[in-house]
Amino acid sequence: MTGAARTDVEQVALANTAFYEALERGDFDKVSELWLDSEADEVTGDDDRTDESVDGTADGDAISCVHPGWPVLTGRGEVLRSYALIMANTEYIQFFLTDVKVGVAGDTALVTCTENILSGGPPPEGGGELGPLVGQLVVATNVFRRTPEGWKLWSHHASPVLAETDDDEGDETPS
């Protein structure tokens, strides 16, 4: 694709890619910039109403994130702290995204994808340059909202994919 994205789908795809690239670089400022902010990034629209969630909080306060194995994190501060913690404890991370699907409805966009993650932690005590590399397969849903500054993340939900084993096939009993 040459030049600036022309369609909403292309713009959302670029915002989604920017999110994962910022995580790979450990760029906390960029990750923060990509998340919806209740004050700075109000959703665009023709009406003058303020969007609220069921509990009455503004959109930015209602951003949410679920990392694999974590509870639901709600609110900009809690979500961004989680990314700071992950970045501080991950020496290396790379995302290979597959099965990426983007849908746009008005000022909201939904991206689903499979995150094929390769990561390594800090080196073991007195060890080499990097801890052992670990691969993980995760499915993710990223919800974006349109703002005057572009598409911003409203919610990220990632769940591990359980690998099938050969034992699973042997568990079937004939009828």
Side-chain angles (χ1 to χ4, degrees):
M1 174 170 37
T2 58
R6 293 177 298 273
T7 69
D8 286 340
V9 169
E10 290 171 329
Q11 290 172 7
V12 170
L14 288 173
N16 193 64
T17 298
F19 171 63
Y20 287 101
E21 288 176 350
L23 288 173
E24 287 180 345
R25 291 190 312 271
D27 186 344
F28 181 76
D29 290 338
K30 184 65 176 177
V31 169
S32 299
E33 176 186 309
L34 291 167
W35 277 91
L36 192 66
D37 183 338
S38 61
E39 297 298 322
D41 296 325
E42 291 181 17
V43 176
T44 61
D46 296 331
D47 57 22
D48 293 329
R49 66 181 171 81
T50 302
D51 290 340
E52 292 184 357
S53 65
V54 172
D55 65 1
T57 60
D59 285 340
D61 294 331
I63 69 172
S64 66
C65 180
V66 178
H67 299 295
W70 291 40
V72 177
L73 305 174
T74 305
R76 188 172 169 79
E78 195 171 325
V79 169
L80 293 179
R81 273 191 295 279
S82 75
Y83 283 103
L85 181 63
I86 290 168
M87 289 178 193
N89 290 290
T90 305
E91 293 289 320
Y92 173 83
I93 192 163
Q94 189 170 9
F95 295 89
F96 301 94
L97 301 182
T98 57
D99 308 316
V100 179
K101 293 181 179 44
V102 180
V104 177
D107 290 332
T108 304
L110 182 71
V111 178
T112 59
C113 61
T114 301
E115 301 172 353
N116 301 272
I117 306 169
L118 184 61
S119 63
E125 292 291 322
E129 298 174 10
L130 185 64
L133 291 177
V134 176
Q136 186 178 18
L137 193 61
V138 172
V139 291
T141 301
N142 297 318
V143 182
F144 290 84
R145 296 295 302 263
R146 184 193 320 266
T147 74
E149 289 77 33
W151 291 94
K152 303 289 182 173
L153 270 164
W154 186 17
S155 181
H156 170 78
H157 187 127
S159 298
V161 175
L162 300 178
E164 291 185 28
T165 64
D166 292 338
D167 293 342
D168 293 340
E169 293 174 15
D171 290 342
E172 295 179 21
T173 56
S175 357

